[in-house]
Amino acid sequence: MIRAVAIVLLATTAAAAQAPADFKVYDKPGDAGGAIIAEWKGLPDEGKPMAEGGVEYVVSLGLSKDGPWTEIERFPGTLHRKNEAPDLFGFSKSNDSEHFIELEGLVPPPGGPWLGTGRSLPTWVKLEVKSPAGAAVAGPLMAEAAPDWWSWNKSNVLLFILFFGGATFWLISKARRDPNIFVRRIPGLDAMEEAIGRATEMGRPILYLNGLNGMDSISTIASVSILGQVSKRVAAYDSQIMVPCYDAVVLSVCQEVMREGYTAAGRPDKYREQDAWFITQEQFSYVASVDGLMIREKPAACLYMGYYYAESLLLAETGGSTGAIQIAGTDSITQLPFFIACCDYTLIGEELYAASAYLSREPLQLGSLRSQDAGKIFIIATLLIGALTAAAGFPFVKHLMATF
Amino acid sequence: MGHLKRTVPLWIAFIFGVGLIIQYFVPHPISQKALGMTQKWLVIVVFVALLLGLGSLLQSHLRKIKAQSAGWGYSVVTLSVLALTVAAGFHPNNDKPGGPLLWAYTNAYSPMSSTMFSLLGFFIASAAFRAFRARSLEATLLLCTAVIVMLGQVPLGAYIPGVSNLSAWILGVPLTAAKRALTFGVALGSIATALRIIFGIERSYLGGSE
């Protein structure tokens, strides 16, 4: 919230120098408090070197109108233009010729910080303009930093969330009325059934990994959801599953999900808590342990779902060397090529999130998949319109999509 | 019991999900404080779960040792090293150079980790061999593209006219376009999944859809 805005109180100390117009000092909008902004219009010829008639700005702070003053920054007329901070001033053409300075967390001697989060004192700001013709002063003006309750510069993100959320709920309600929703085939997910069947026929276990992220990662949640569906099928086929976990929280969730999976398949007696266990939270120790497990147990199928780092290739190559059918699903773009090279099937990016809905065939979940398509159509349309308008010299769509 | 296992977690997911979305738009120190507090709660939950994990690790290896199942010797090694590391953690010289924990880290953990990491070099070679076999039109295109990009990254490529520019174009245009498309898909999928979880449509992470 702006606490103090004052306009043009000039006191010219040298007749030949010109003071900048519209000098304003105010609380920085959309922040946690502790910062104020000073802004002013640029002067003619300010971009020139000092010797050729350019100017130098000097910003000083004080705790009273009469000082004492502490010089905060001295800079030429080419710096601190408002176009450097679109998060504060937008994309107006006039920003090219106007200046600002953000005053935050300053520690002037000897009184300690007078601007900073959790501390705010009324602060006076003075702007001096120096040029070969002389000097002029704008201000001093006072403002007090205060915390704000809303970041207005993030409103476009909110609008997109509301649009996307609205589309999701509309499509879900549509799915409630008409549950026959077409979802394109995802071969990697269809192959899971085959992999579980193969493991049952061979009398060998299925290895299921959740990746290296915790439950705070969407990809791990998606992976755990898939595990629920896989567990149901494993229980139905009376096969065996091994879930070595990297994260202790993920382990607890996996055990619960597997128990429910076995119960849903009508085989609660077949569930064994020890089928999911914790190994370690050290990346390469985990890989060494899982690779050893693959070599010893020779699983018939290896399923890698979730987020992976450098260990992806170490796991998939070792799994491949044991002759297992391998299915991976990750949203880690850097690891996708390794999985594609080593695995029989790979769920790419968003297919991982769609897997739970695809396997469960629950209309409500399938309805939400449609909203992803709606989002994609919106993004493609925005990209096209944005590119065309920007090429024509009207970059308003580009500006509308800017995030801060 | 069903209420505790189903409804309460769904309400927790809803309140914290919506709360953290709103928090993103509220810069006020109260909002920052609330975020900091939930992060501290997360640390506590993770610590408690780590104890569960330790219990699971002990159970799993003790079971193997008891049954003398295949590879039970590794379980003996794991539990012995776990005990030794915990014991070393209580040593008074741990905060000094040469303390037992740092010694174990430098002389045992670090080289073994590096060994595992270095295996990547060999695995990349074997994976590349498999991926680049020109068995189909797509695989041939992949092979040609990979050769151009690799040549563009090494000094030899500078002597072949056009390779550096072509390599830079492949990386800068088609590759970046594909990566951005994937990123959009992942972002939309993340938001849709988050909404499904926050509003209780996706419940399989709780152990079922009922």
Side-chain angles (χ1 to χ4, degrees):
Chain A
M1 183 187 291
I2 296 174
R3 281 284 183 85
V5 177
I7 304 172
V8 193
L9 285 171
L10 303 176
T12 308
T13 55
Q18 188 188 352
D22 279 348
F23 178 57
K24 300 176 193 171
V25 181
Y26 52 88
D27 168 43
K28 183 185 174 188
D31 74 340
I36 58 174
I37 303 276
E39 67 167 69
W40 62 94
K41 282 188 175 160
L43 294 169
D45 299 333
E46 65 176 8
K48 290 181 179 172
M50 272 293 266
E52 295 171 24
V55 300
E56 185 181 56
Y57 294 109
V58 182
V59 178
S60 305
L61 295 187
L63 284 175
S64 79
K65 192 177 181 181
D66 305 316
W69 298 101
T70 302
E71 184 179 315
I72 298 300
E73 195 163 338
R74 179 184 287 261
F75 55 92
T78 50
L79 297 181
H80 282 295
R81 302 228 190 232
K82 279 166 73 174
N83 59 11
E84 295 164 17
D87 55 325
L88 291 171
F89 307 107
F91 296 92
S92 167
K93 196 77 187 154
S94 63
N95 289 345
D96 297 347
S97 59
E98 295 180 12
H99 293 274
F100 84 105
I101 186 163
E102 187 179 327
L103 304 159
E104 182 179 24
L106 302 165
V107 191
W114 73 58
L115 281 169
T117 308
R119 179 163 184 192
S120 166
L121 293 174
T123 304
W124 291 85
V125 183
K126 187 175 76 169
L127 175 70
E128 288 174 78
V129 185
K130 296 190 173 174
S131 71
V137 175
L141 297 178
M142 190 273 281
E144 191 174 344
D148 298 299
W149 285 101
W150 198 254
S151 291
W152 289 104
N153 55 12
K154 289 178 180 170
S155 300
N156 54 354
V157 178
L158 181 68
L159 277 176
F160 180 76
I161 290 176
L162 290 176
F163 160 76
F164 191 67
T168 303
F169 289 113
W170 179 65
L171 288 162
I172 284 172
S173 70
K174 218 177 148 193
R176 262 204 191 107
R177 292 192 296 273
D178 176 18
N180 300 315
I181 295 169
F182 170 76
V183 180
R184 72 172 170 86
R185 280 191 61 235
I186 302 177
L189 292 173
D190 292 337
M192 275 193 192
E193 194 87 29
E194 181 197 329
I196 298 166
R198 182 176 183 256
T200 313
E201 280 170 15
M202 294 173 82
R204 293 200 328 222
I206 293 152
L207 179 72
Y208 191 98
L209 305 182
N210 289 295
L212 261 62
N213 278 359
M215 281 311 293
D216 54 340
S217 160
I218 293 279
S219 43
T220 309
I221 293 173
S223 166
V224 167
S225 300
I226 300 168
L227 175 63
Q229 303 296 334
V230 169
S231 300
K232 267 188 210 168
R233 284 161 174 74
V234 167
Y237 284 112
D238 199 12
S239 192
Q240 196 205 334
I241 189 167
M242 301 186 297
V243 188
C245 294
Y246 177 82
D247 186 285
V249 180
V250 175
L251 165 72
S252 305
V253 178
C254 283
Q255 286 176 333
E256 194 59 30
V257 162
M258 286 165 66
R259 180 183 288 119
E260 291 286 340
Y262 276 77
T263 308
R267 310 293 293 271
D269 54 308
K270 292 285 177 187
Y271 169 70
R272 300 189 313 159
E273 198 174 88
Q274 64 262 33
D275 286 343
W277 70 99
F278 175 71
I279 291 184
T280 175
Q281 267 189 312
E282 292 295 334
Q283 184 184 22
F284 291 111
S285 309
Y286 177 78
V287 175
S289 178
V290 175
D291 280 358
L293 187 75
M294 285 173 177
I295 301 292
R296 284 193 303 276
E297 302 287 337
K298 300 233 176 327
C302 295
L303 309 180
Y304 312 102
M305 301 291 152
Y307 200 92
Y308 292 84
Y309 299 87
E311 73 287 345
S312 63
L313 188 61
L314 296 173
L315 294 168
E317 272 293 281
T318 310
S321 74
T322 63
I325 181 169
Q326 300 202 98
I327 304 171
T330 187
D331 54 354
S332 166
I333 291 169
T334 51
Q335 302 307 316
L336 270 172
F338 297 128
F339 279 135
I340 289 169
C342 301
C343 293
D344 300 286
Y345 299 94
T346 307
L347 306 179
I348 296 172
E350 63 184 308
E351 287 178 344
L352 174 68
Y353 307 128
S356 177
Y358 186 90
L359 290 172
S360 70
R361 293 278 161 186
E362 203 181 307
L364 294 188
Q365 291 204 37
L366 290 173
S368 74
L369 291 186
R370 280 292 170 88
S371 69
Q372 286 174 237
D373 293 338
K376 275 184 225 162
I377 291 167
F378 173 78
I379 287 176
I380 291 168
T382 309
L383 283 173
L384 282 174
I385 296 167
L388 288 173
T389 50
F394 305 103
F396 62 91
V397 177
K398 186 183 158 196
H399 295 161
L400 204 65
M401 291 292 136
T403 53
F404 306 109
Chain B
M1 194 62 187
H3 180 75
L4 265 180
K5 281 185 78 176
R6 289 274 180 272
T7 316
V8 173
L10 286 176
W11 272 105
I12 291 174
F14 176 77
I15 291 165
F16 278 86
V18 173
L20 286 172
I21 289 174
I22 294 170
Q23 191 281 327
Y24 175 75
F25 298 99
V26 179
H28 199 279
I30 290 174
S31 152
Q32 309 294 334
K33 216 173 165 180
L35 179 67
M37 194 170 66
T38 50
Q39 282 167 343
K40 279 181 189 163
W41 291 351
L42 190 67
V43 171
I44 295 167
V45 171
V46 167
F47 177 73
V48 173
L50 200 61
L51 292 179
L52 288 175
L54 186 64
S56 161
L57 183 82
L58 288 173
Q59 265 183 13
S60 123
H61 287 286
L62 286 172
R63 202 179 294 119
K64 269 188 194 168
I65 294 168
K66 201 174 164 189
Q68 298 210 335
S69 52
W72 68 276
Y74 298 117
S75 295
V76 174
V77 174
T78 305
L79 292 186
S80 309
V81 173
L82 176 70
L84 277 172
T85 312
V86 172
F90 287 107
H91 198 278
N93 284 344
N94 267 334
D95 54 343
K96 293 171 191 155
L101 210 54
L102 189 65
W103 185 90
Y105 180 85
T106 315
N107 296 290
Y109 173 77
S110 190
M112 283 194 283
S113 254
S114 306
T115 306
M116 284 305 296
F117 191 45
S118 61
L119 286 176
L120 261 181
F122 301 100
F123 282 154
I124 282 179
S126 63
F129 173 73
R130 219 174 18 255
F132 296 156
R133 272 184 298 181
R135 287 173 300 186
S136 60
L137 177 67
E138 288 90 346
T140 312
L141 276 174
L142 184 68
L143 172 66
C144 297
T145 313
V147 168
I148 292 165
V149 172
M150 283 192 283
L151 279 174
Q153 305 298 309
V154 295
L156 178 67
Y159 296 102
I160 307 169
V163 163
S164 294
N165 288 341
L166 190 55
S167 166
W169 180 82
I170 289 168
L171 291 173
V173 182
L175 179 77
T176 307
K179 273 171 78 173
R180 282 182 188 165
L182 271 174
T183 309
F184 281 136
V186 166
L188 290 171
S190 297
I191 300 171
T193 310
L195 287 173
R196 285 207 300 262
I197 291 166
I198 289 170
F199 292 98
I201 296 160
E202 165 82 67
R203 301 174 183 194
S204 46
Y205 71 99
L206 294 173
S209 55
E210 293 78 22

